[in-house]
Amino acid sequence: MAQFSSALRLTDLDDFIAPSQDCIKPVKVERLPGSKAGKLAIENDGDYYQIDEQGTKTPLPKAKITLNDCLACSGCVTSAETVLIRQQSGEEMCRVLDESLAAPPESCGHRFPVVSLSPQSRVSLAARYGLTLKETEEKLTTVLKGFGVARVYDTTVANHVALIESGKEFLRRYGGDVTSSPGPLPMLTSSCPGWVCYAEKTQGSYVLPFISTTKSPQQIMGSLVKDYIADINGVRPNSVYHIAVMPCYDKKLEASRDDFYNDVFRTKDVDCVVTSVEIERLLEDKRIDFLSVDATPLDTLPGHIRENPQDHCGGGSGGYLEFVLRYAAREVYGHTLDKITYKTVRNVDFKETTLELEGKPVFKFAAAYGFRNIQNVVQKIKRNKCSYQFVELMACPSGCLNGGGQIRPQEGQNAKDLVMRLNDVYAMADMVDPLTCGGVSRLYADWLNGEDSEKAQKCLHTQYHAVEKIENAFNIKW
């Protein structure tokens, strides 16, 4: 048994695994060829049986899932992923920080550690320890700087930029931007790496053009840290060790993409991703009484004024739907949208909203969380029956606040109650409009040389790659 976070249950660490009990990939169980109709049953051990009219049970072949089939849902792990997880863990973070503190200032072992804290992780820790959002982030800053971290930033600034870029990209696709021709709709959000991995591995090149090219807040923050923050602190990008505290294990996979690697300086934009539950475990392992830790204010970028924690309207997954809808309504129709009313479709994790002007629908947006809802959207697109222009997609039911890396329910608390609590805590932050934050305008000017510059395109946008399955390649299972 490998010693990873308790959130990851590892069993046989070879390069082939049977479906985990938590695996969410749909598996179709076939009846035996030539058999008469009968019942299908599943035993406690997970084996499927076919039962004929006489009550005889015949075992059915087990479904097989290889690494190429995996949707990166954090339900199970193979040895091919264990190396990645070791590189992206709280233990690895502490090892690098310890080595950096011990190394001479001018040596290659001395690093400039920078932490970026996601709003969802901040909420998870606040709910776990019964603290306010500000108390949580300031206590965590004290702990991290005690480990040798040089700077601790809030990733909300990167979320500001991600929302603005998403809004502008939607206008280009919709045809509301006269400088470009319309693009494929619906535009699908790209901030969830679990969904992106699923699309690349299972949907080929058909669905990929619909996915927004805007980087996730984590990776925008990665570009910001390794370029702008490194520059204003007078250090080289490859001397910066960037740690992202995130609500999701799939963020580790995202940070490891080749697209987010700087060939010139030979460094990743995000060096290490640790989850909320890994931070909780770190505090426990170091026997830190988090409630008694002193407060240290977060670091801020030049021109950014931040008195209280900030978040965005529209829920704990970043608020993409609401921001883009308001942005498009204003830019295309000159309409200021105040209240957004949702209609639940199929289940609580699938909702839609329609903007009507002068009695006519002009925009129809949706938010779909969880793979069953994602698959419904994808199938509608494939059949050319999708009536939405924009869909906010997240792999986890209930969205990012319920990410696989979030702290688990405590004794006497169930998962549903915890999600409700996290939503309440999230709403305690100041809800801000990215377009009214003066620091964002300065960031575009000082860092990116303008909103539509070549550097802005390079630092804020990415591309996707269909993963081709190799059939019977030397009978190797990857």
Side-chain angles (χ1 to χ4, degrees):
M1 180 70 72
Q3 297 301 310
F4 296 127
S5 166
S6 59
L8 294 175
R9 293 183 293 278
L10 307 183
T11 51
D12 296 327
L13 293 182
D14 56 18
D15 285 324
F16 173 78
I17 54 173
S20 162
Q21 190 174 20
D22 292 336
C23 185
I24 57 177
K25 182 175 176 65
V27 177
K28 184 178 181 180
V29 179
E30 301 284 358
R31 297 180 184 275
L32 293 174
S35 64
K36 296 181 179 180
K39 296 181 179 180
L40 293 177
I42 182 171
E43 299 294 326
N44 292 333
D45 60 3
D47 290 337
Y48 284 91
Y49 291 87
Q50 182 171 308
I51 306 175
D52 61 21
E53 296 175 353
Q54 286 73 38
T56 304
K57 293 197 305 184
T58 305
L60 295 171
K62 290 185 178 180
K64 296 180 180 180
I65 296 179
T66 66
L67 188 57
N68 278 337
D69 298 314
C70 176
L71 305 182
C73 66
S74 303
C76 50
V77 179
T78 68
S79 60
E81 295 168 305
T82 59
V83 173
L84 167 63
I85 295 172
R86 287 193 184 98
Q87 294 172 343
Q88 304 272 352
S89 66
E91 290 83 358
E92 175 67 7
M93 177 188 74
C94 290
R95 184 192 67 79
V96 173
L97 294 178
D98 289 343
E99 287 185 358
S100 179
L101 285 173
E106 301 302 323
S107 68
C108 60
H110 186 75
R111 310 294 294 273
F112 187 82
V114 175
V115 168
S116 53
L117 174 62
S118 69
Q120 294 84 5
S121 292
R122 178 178 61 197
V123 167
S124 185
L125 289 162
R128 165 66 177 84
Y129 294 102
L131 299 169
T132 66
L133 293 174
K134 188 170 185 177
E135 288 172 338
T136 301
E137 64 184 20
E138 291 187 344
K139 288 178 181 291
L140 185 59
T141 299
T142 301
V143 171
L144 293 170
K145 291 196 171 183
F147 291 155
V149 171
R151 301 285 187 273
V152 180
Y153 294 98
D154 178 9
T155 60
T156 302
V157 63
N159 204 160
H160 290 336
V161 176
L163 291 175
I164 292 172
E165 289 298 309
S166 296
K168 293 192 298 182
E169 182 183 354
F170 178 77
L171 285 191
R172 291 193 293 269
R173 290 170 177 254
Y174 185 73
D177 182 347
V178 296
T179 63
S180 61
S181 57
L185 293 175
M187 180 171 131
L188 309 174
T189 54
S190 58
S191 62
C192 173
W195 139 244
V196 171
C197 183
Y198 162 78
E200 289 182 322
K201 288 185 175 182
T202 69
Q203 301 304 318
S205 58
Y206 186 86
V207 171
L208 299 187
F210 294 90
I211 304 177
S212 168
T213 64
T214 301
K215 288 182 181 179
S216 72
Q218 171 180 291
Q219 295 309 136
I220 289 178
M221 197 71 192
S223 297
L224 179 68
V225 167
K226 289 296 179 86
D227 188 4
Y228 183 64
I229 291 177
D231 182 58
I232 63 178
N233 284 282
V235 296
R236 292 169 59 84
N238 54 357
S239 295
V240 175
Y241 183 67
H242 181 199
I243 305 156
V245 181
M246 290 287 148
C248 175
Y249 283 100
D250 290 343
K251 288 294 182 181
K252 298 173 188 280
L253 296 175
E254 180 181 43
S256 301
R257 290 174 69 97
D258 292 338
D259 303 278
F260 305 137
Y261 182 84
N262 187 318
D263 291 318
V264 176
F265 291 98
R266 297 183 179 181
T267 183
K268 294 185 292 185
D269 294 338
V270 180
D271 296 288
C272 181
V273 174
V274 293
T275 61
S276 313
V277 72
E278 288 175 298
I279 292 292
E280 178 196 35
R281 180 183 177 188
L282 178 64
L283 295 172
E284 292 174 352
D285 289 347
K286 298 292 184 179
R287 297 182 179 177
I288 296 172
D289 182 2
F290 195 56
L291 296 178
S292 65
V293 172
D294 293 332
T296 301
L298 265 71
D299 296 284
T300 56
L301 298 171
H304 288 252
I305 300 174
R306 180 184 182 279
E307 296 181 358
N308 298 305
Q310 297 176 343
D311 281 321
H312 301 92
C313 296
S317 296
Y320 285 86
L321 185 158
E322 292 208 6
F323 177 84
V324 174
L325 182 57
R326 287 192 170 94
Y327 184 83
R330 183 173 60 251
E331 295 297 320
V332 178
Y333 296 102
H335 177 75
T336 300
L337 183 60
D338 296 322
K339 184 179 179 181
I340 296 178
T341 303
Y342 291 100
K343 174 186 175 183
T344 299
V345 182
R346 299 178 183 273
N347 54 74
V348 295
D349 279 323
F350 199 140
K351 59 184 181 180
E352 64 180 34
T353 183
T354 302
L355 174 61
E356 293 188 356
L357 296 177
E358 298 180 355
K360 297 181 179 180
V362 294
F363 287 128
K364 190 175 183 181
F365 285 20
Y369 298 163
F371 275 105
R372 61 173 176 170
N373 292 324
I374 286 176
Q375 288 165 340
N376 282 330
V377 172
V378 168
Q379 290 306 314
K380 285 179 179 292
I381 292 174
K382 285 186 171 183
R383 295 196 301 267
N384 198 28
K385 292 184 177 181
C386 186
S387 59
Y388 307 120
Q389 291 100 4
F390 181 94
V391 186
E392 179 181 300
L393 293 177
M394 300 293 161
C396 293
S398 300
C400 294
L401 289 178
N402 189 39
Q406 294 286 72
I407 296 173
R408 302 297 185 265
Q410 301 304 299
E411 186 176 351
Q413 184 182 48
N414 60 44
K416 184 176 180 180
D417 291 339
L418 178 57
V419 170
M420 294 177 62
R421 170 64 177 154
L422 294 178
N423 277 291
D424 291 341
V425 175
Y426 181 89
M428 293 178 182
D430 292 341
M431 298 296 159
V432 297
D433 182 351
L435 297 172
T436 63
C437 297
V440 176
S441 299
R442 179 169 176 175
L443 200 60
Y444 271 106
D446 293 353
W447 173 37
L448 300 169
N449 306 321
E451 293 191 14
D452 299 314
S453 67
E454 182 178 341
K455 186 173 182 179
Q457 178 65 30
K458 178 181 178 181
C459 292
L460 306 181
H461 292 264
T462 187
Q463 56 188 340
Y464 311 103
H465 318 278
V467 178
E468 299 296 335
K469 293 187 178 181
I470 302 176
E471 301 291 344
N472 300 321
F474 306 107
N475 293 322
I476 296 176
K477 294 290 185 181
W478 296 98

